[in-house]
């Protein structure tokens, strides 16, 4: 795990997967394909899927298989394909069990100020990826960072996923990426959640997935080397976040172009 974090501090990496675990079969198939694509394009690959989407707009929305079954599926994917995995926690009580399986514990944006959640994640000893709340600036992330640091964990990453702008819309201020980089930790651009339209489809979130690649390219232009994408074989049939996802058959071309942007900035 120390080796993984050292790599994430210096090399381009991709966190990707579906929004939620829809089935074991879907996860195994998608993890295998995403590993092939990302590694072929020269990125470190981390597989992500949620065992429970506790923050869905509607009480009737699909949430996932739950903690026990979801972690078993993630553990199988990790072992079968020899890849690091990550998932999000919504309650401090979930941290210990999740920390036994994943390499990175993800803190949802809505919950990034929750002290108990941050300290519980920190105490797992795993990398903690804190997603910036839609209502915070990049500099405001100083305080979530301090909570993890003061809980004894300095393996931290910070993720930009847009700021609330008016109703059912987000905007990305790329100054936030630059500001968060001053804390000395890896910064990630969440390209697909940044084009989400929260609650914008009458009881569920909408989005504009066609814009997601551009979010990543612009982040690469300001020096970001970590990227988060939700990808699905058929976004129209995804059980969560379909409108802002990237179709699997388009993903490799996105990564190719992203690599060219990073090379241009570096050169």
């Amino acid at each position: 795990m120390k080796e993984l974090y050292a790599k994430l501090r210096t090399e381009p990496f991709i966190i990707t997967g579906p929004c939620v675990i829809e089935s074991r079969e879907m996860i195994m198939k998608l993890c295998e394909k995403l590993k092939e694509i990302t590694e072929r394009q020269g990125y470190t690959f981390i597989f992500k899927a949620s065992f429970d989407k506790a923050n869905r707009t509607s009480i009737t929305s699909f949430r996932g298989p739950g903690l026990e079954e979801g972690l078993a599926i993630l553990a199988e994917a990790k072992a079968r394909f020899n890849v690091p995995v990550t998932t999000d926690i919504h309650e401090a009580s979930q941290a210990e069990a999740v920390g036994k399986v994943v390499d990175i514990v993800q803190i949802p944006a809505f919950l990034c100020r929750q002290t108990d959640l941050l300290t519980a994640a920190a105490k797992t000893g795993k990398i903690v990826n804190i997603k910036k709340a839609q209502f915070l600036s990049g500099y405001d992330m100083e305080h979530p960072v301090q909570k993890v640091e003061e809980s004894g964990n300095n393996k931290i990453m910070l993720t930009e996923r847009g700021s609330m702008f008016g109703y059912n819309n987000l905007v990305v201020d790329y100054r936030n990426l630059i500001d968060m980089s001053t804390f000395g930790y890896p910064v990630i651009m969440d390209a697909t959640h940044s084009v989400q339209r929260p609650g914008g489809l009458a009881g569920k979130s909408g989005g504009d997935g066609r814009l997601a690649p551009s979010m990543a390219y612009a982040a690469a232009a300001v020096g970001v080397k970590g990227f988060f994408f939700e990808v699905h074989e058929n976004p129209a049939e995804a059980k969560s976040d379909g409108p802002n996802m990237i179709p699997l058959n388009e993903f490799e071309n996105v990564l190719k172009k992203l690599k060219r942007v990073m090379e241009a900035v570096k050169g």
Side-chain angles (χ1 to χ4, degrees), residues 96-118:
E96 184 178 1
V98 169
K100 291 176 181 178
V101 173
V102 305
D103 303 273
I104 302 169
V105 179
Q106 179 178 293
I107 304 297
F110 284 129
L111 301 177
C112 78
R113 286 166 42 117
Q114 298 297 103
T115 301
D116 289 347
L117 195 66
L118 290 164

Side-chain angles (χ1 to χ4, degrees), residues 5-51:
Y5 188 61
K7 187 180 292 187
L8 300 183
R9 291 183 67 88
T10 59
E11 300 177 13
F13 63 93
I14 302 292
I15 300 174
T16 186
C19 179
V20 65
I21 298 171
E22 298 181 10
S23 69
R24 175 193 169 277
E25 294 72 22
M26 175 258 211
I27 291 300
M28 299 306 149
K29 184 177 180 181
L30 195 54
C31 185
E32 182 176 25
K33 290 184 177 181
L34 289 170
K35 179 184 180 183
E36 291 172 357
I37 291 169
T38 52
E39 292 186 352
R40 187 160 56 235
Q41 293 305 315
Y43 297 90
T44 295
F45 168 59
I46 300 109
F47 182 73
K48 183 269 171 186
S50 296
F51 59 82

